Amino acid sequence: MGRPEKIRLGDILVGQKIVSQEDLRLALEQQKRTGRKLGRVLVEMGFVSEDQICEAIARQLNIPFVNLKFFNTSQEVVRRLPETQARRFRAIVLEERGAKYLVGMSDPTDLFAFDELTRFLKREIQTAVVNDGLLVQTIDRLYRRTEEISGLAKELERDMGDYIDFGALGVGLGAEDAPVVKLLQTVFEDAIQVNASDVHIEPQESKVQIRFRIDGVLLPQTETDVKTGPAIVLRLKLMASLDISEKRLPQDGRFAVIVRDQPVDVRMSTMPTQHGESVVLRLLNQKTGLLGLDHVGMPTDMLARFRQIIRRTNAMVLVTGPTGSGKTTTLYAALAELNTVDKKIITVEDPVEYRLPGINQVQINEKIELTFARVLRAALRQDPDIILVGEMRDEETAQIGLRAALTGHLVLSTLHTKDAASSPIRLIDMGAPNYMVATSLHAVLAQRLVRLNCESCAEPYQPVDLELRWLAARPDEGGGPARFMRGRGCSNCNGTGFQGRIGVYEMLEMTPELARAASSSDTSLFTEVAKRQLEGHTLGRNAYRLAAAGRTTLDEAIRVASAQEE
């Protein structure tokens, strides 16, 4: 294909009977009022999807439409075009075809962009239409800063020399061009691009290793010389207002940074190790927003019941699971629904992970004896309707929370247990009276996170021997045809076969029968009744259903089920 011709999008969509003349007229009126592109206006008004627009343009120009979601891009080929030009011209190099390049463009009729791309690539180009939203995501993912981070780390190694002058370093690091500042800035930018939840900076005997946790799994990012470790830790401590002279004790802090115009809260933890201080940075991207309850992965029938329960005025609702299982995300999704002008909501947390407007959030501080129990007692004098307690850690907190639920408050909290059935027993073991647990506790939601198969490279597979034995030992897990899928690994998922995570849930509702069993001193009676109620709706069974539908692997479902059975 030669140089493209300019076309009118509205005429194409009407001519191909994708939108009506009336739809186009309304969209053009909206475009005049807003000044936005016609395609964006049509999508926002619900007249057409972005993919439909792309396919229509492709048919009109007789060029291919490439769905980047399912296209296995090569980072080496993509980087033939500098990132600046890729973003400026909304273009990405898809394939090398002999003496030509196949270039995906969100607007292949842009004559200026076509000419500039030809000049930059120094080859003839063939164009394809790509979805603009997916194009931006692909550029963010593929133009990662790994090489730049390694280069900056090497530059920092050269600048540090064999000896570190900490006094001079503390003063000099304020300059924006200091290698350590540039290194950290680039690490943060790369972490946000790939949706990392944590950054691990770990000193080893002969190197400092930097790893990212993505979808719950740690992946190596880069390595740098061991001499750079103290400079990196020092700068981070200064940012978090920690004691830079204390290297023998763990420290915790937090700071906020702007990364790619996005506000990011960073929780920092240091720990002395054999070869220096290890640092873990938890990244909380405020711009991504909270998930709604409709998007956390709860089954429809369970979600309807859960919504009814959290609208009660005197109840305790617990969310349970191990660290990193998404408990806080679920609780905040519930709070976001309950957050109306006629409700007073107070949260007691350690630390405050999300910020919600209209809610009174309190950060626990053990150093000044600002404990969960102390803040909870004060919160009850603030006339709240809803209280969120970050965690039921001790007997005093549990009893205050249960009493608050008895006296006309909705109390939401978390607990560390392996499943829903063991949570009421755990409260009783902590010292809470049986009658109070039976009366105040209305529901326990247990959850885990499973990784989702990458949609770009997922393919059917046959379970291996270990998985077949697990299925054979549980003939009741089936209940219908299963289509097991597994990602083979591609550029869209960084070769892991997984992309994103979703919650798996079970919910125990305190029925009158369960309340009577909880009031009994025989805990085995409660466990027996609870297991009967959960039969067919356990964490393991719900994880298996996701695997049978091809959304996750059977191995992920076995991991969830096995953890529950331990």
Side-chain angles (χ1 to χ4, degrees):
M1 177 194 162
R3 198 166 182 263
E5 58 185 45
K6 200 66 184 171
I7 57 175
R8 290 165 63 92
L9 179 61
D11 293 341
I12 291 174
L13 297 175
V14 171
Q16 296 186 21
K17 296 183 170 53
I18 295 172
V19 299
S20 66
Q21 283 284 4
E22 177 62 16
D23 291 343
L24 179 60
R25 184 185 66 78
L26 293 171
L28 287 169
E29 288 177 0
Q30 178 72 1
Q31 183 193 24
K32 286 178 184 176
R33 287 194 294 270
T34 62
R36 306 188 72 176
K37 286 189 174 182
L38 178 61
R40 175 56 49 198
V41 172
L42 285 163
V43 171
E44 289 174 352
M45 295 180 76
F47 294 148
V48 67
S49 70
E50 283 194 44
D51 282 353
Q52 284 178 305
I53 292 176
C54 292
E55 289 166 354
I57 293 173
R59 281 192 293 268
Q60 182 71 22
L61 297 177
N62 196 27
I63 61 175
F65 162 57
V66 174
N67 189 335
L68 291 173
K69 197 170 191 178
F70 303 105
F71 190 87
N72 196 3
T73 46
S74 163
Q75 194 171 54
E76 181 185 353
V77 173
V78 167
R79 285 174 173 265
R80 304 284 169 85
L81 183 67
E83 180 182 4
T84 306
Q85 311 309 326
R87 293 187 186 279
R88 180 183 176 191
F89 300 122
R90 285 291 203 268
I92 184 170
V93 182
L94 298 170
E95 286 180 356
E96 189 171 11
R97 296 181 169 181
K100 301 178 182 179
Y101 284 125
L102 176 65
V103 178
M105 299 178 69
S106 61
D107 181 7
T109 67
D110 187 333
L111 306 180
F112 175 73
F114 182 90
D115 290 342
E116 288 296 295
L117 289 168
T118 305
R119 185 171 67 83
F120 272 105
L121 293 169
K122 296 182 174 61
R123 288 195 195 181
E124 185 181 340
I125 65 173
Q126 297 173 323
T127 56
V129 189
V130 293
N131 180 310
D132 187 65
L134 286 175
L135 173 66
V136 174
Q137 292 176 23
T138 305
I139 289 173
D140 283 346
R141 188 182 71 252
L142 293 176
Y143 285 94
R144 289 188 59 187
R145 314 296 288 278
T146 304
E147 293 176 11
E148 186 179 346
I149 289 171
S150 299
L152 288 167
K154 289 283 187 294
E155 185 182 339
L156 178 59
E157 290 169 28
R158 291 193 296 271
D159 279 22
M160 291 302 301
D162 293 327
Y163 300 98
I164 299 171
D165 182 349
F166 288 103
L169 185 64
V171 175
L173 281 176
E176 282 299 312
D177 60 347
V180 70
V181 174
K182 286 197 282 188
L183 172 63
L184 288 173
Q185 181 182 358
T186 315
V187 166
F188 279 127
E189 288 183 358
D190 195 38
I192 293 300
Q193 275 190 200
V194 295
N195 292 319
S197 60
D198 302 84
V199 176
H200 291 240
I201 301 170
E202 304 158 320
Q204 309 292 318
E205 185 175 3
S206 58
K207 64 186 179 184
V208 173
Q209 180 175 250
I210 299 177
R211 297 190 288 174
F212 291 168
R213 188 175 295 280
I214 302 171
D215 291 338
V217 178
L218 272 177
L219 299 173
Q221 209 288 335
T222 192
E223 294 176 356
T224 180
D225 190 275
V226 69
K227 294 191 296 291
T228 67
I232 295 170
V233 175
L234 175 63
R235 180 59 186 173
L236 288 168
K237 282 185 174 181
L238 289 169
M239 293 168 71
S241 301
L242 298 180
D243 184 353
I244 61 173
S245 64
E246 181 56 77
K247 304 182 187 69
R248 300 165 301 168
L249 297 173
Q251 294 189 67
D252 294 303
R254 67 186 304 160
F255 55 91
V257 291
I258 299 293
V259 182
R260 291 181 168 268
D261 297 323
Q262 300 177 37
V264 179
D265 281 345
V266 183
R267 282 166 42 196
M268 174 175 165
S269 170
T270 72
M271 184 176 69
T273 67
Q274 187 177 6
H275 301 293
E277 288 182 277
S278 170
V279 177
V280 176
L281 305 168
R282 167 64 58 88
L283 308 180
L284 301 167
N285 190 347
Q286 298 300 317
K287 199 170 181 180
T288 55
L290 291 170
L291 285 178
L293 280 176
D294 291 314
H295 299 99
V296 296
M298 217 178 290
T300 307
D301 55 340
M302 186 187 297
L303 178 58
R305 286 166 48 216
F306 184 68
R307 278 184 162 135
Q308 290 172 358
I309 293 168
I310 62 174
R311 279 171 171 75
R312 295 174 184 173
T313 55
N314 54 334
M316 174 180 280
V317 178
L318 292 178
V319 180
T320 184
T323 301
S325 60
K327 299 186 297 294
T328 304
T329 300
T330 300
L331 282 177
Y332 265 92
L335 272 191
E337 287 202 5
L338 298 169
N339 185 18
T340 55
V341 292
D342 60 334
K343 294 284 192 299
K344 168 96 170 187
I345 301 177
I346 298 176
T347 74
V348 188
E349 304 170 75
D350 183 23
V352 174
E353 291 197 20
Y354 298 99
R355 294 188 173 94
L356 276 180
I359 289 181
N360 303 277
Q361 297 174 274
V362 183
Q363 165 84 48
I364 292 303
N365 189 342
E366 300 279 357
K367 293 177 183 176
I368 58 171
E369 298 182 3
L370 194 65
T371 61
F372 274 109
R374 186 171 186 178
V375 176
L376 194 48
R377 280 194 297 268
L380 289 171
R381 296 193 289 271
Q382 292 277 309
D383 187 29
D385 297 289
I386 301 166
I387 302 172
L388 184 148
V389 184
E391 184 185 345
M392 289 291 161
R393 289 186 179 178
D394 51 52
E395 177 184 352
E396 188 178 11
T397 306
Q399 291 212 27
I400 296 171
L402 288 165
R403 285 199 187 93
L406 274 176
T407 55
H409 305 88
L410 173 65
V411 179
L412 307 174
S413 190
T414 70
L415 196 64
H416 287 279
T417 55
K418 68 177 183 177
D419 56 20
S422 57
S423 296
I425 306 302
R426 173 76 180 119
L427 286 177
I428 292 168
D429 289 343
M430 287 169 66
N434 293 51
Y435 77 89
M436 200 177 283
V437 173
T439 310
S440 299
L441 185 62
H442 284 216
V444 181
L445 191 72
Q447 72 177 86
R448 299 289 189 278
L449 290 177
V450 296
R451 293 182 291 170
L452 292 171
N453 285 326
C454 172
E455 293 183 7
S456 301
C457 63
E459 56 190 16
Y461 84 104
Q462 289 299 316
V464 297
D465 287 347
L466 180 65
E467 294 167 336
L468 288 171
R469 286 199 299 271
W470 185 84
L471 286 172
R474 296 160 183 80
D476 59 331
E477 285 295 354
R483 185 167 183 259
F484 298 116
M485 305 279 287
R486 180 170 57 194
R488 66 178 180 276
C490 67
S491 62
N492 287 311
C493 58
N494 294 313
T496 64
F498 296 99
Q499 195 168 47
R501 292 187 292 176
I502 196 169
V504 177
Y505 297 88
E506 68 179 21
M507 188 166 80
L508 182 70
E509 194 170 349
M510 292 292 283
T511 60
E513 184 184 9
L514 267 175
R516 285 193 297 273
S519 299
S520 165
S521 57
D522 183 3
T523 55
S524 62
L525 173 63
F526 177 87
T527 305
E528 182 184 333
V529 176
K531 284 184 176 177
R532 274 204 310 270
Q533 187 192 120
L534 290 167
E535 193 172 343
H537 303 282
T538 61
L539 285 166
R541 175 64 67 85
N542 288 328
Y544 171 80
R545 288 185 181 120
L546 282 176
R551 299 194 66 194
T552 188
T553 61
L554 186 54
D555 182 58
E556 283 284 286
I558 293 172
R559 177 179 61 81
V560 170
S562 300
Q564 193 176 17
E565 292 166 2
E566 288 174 358

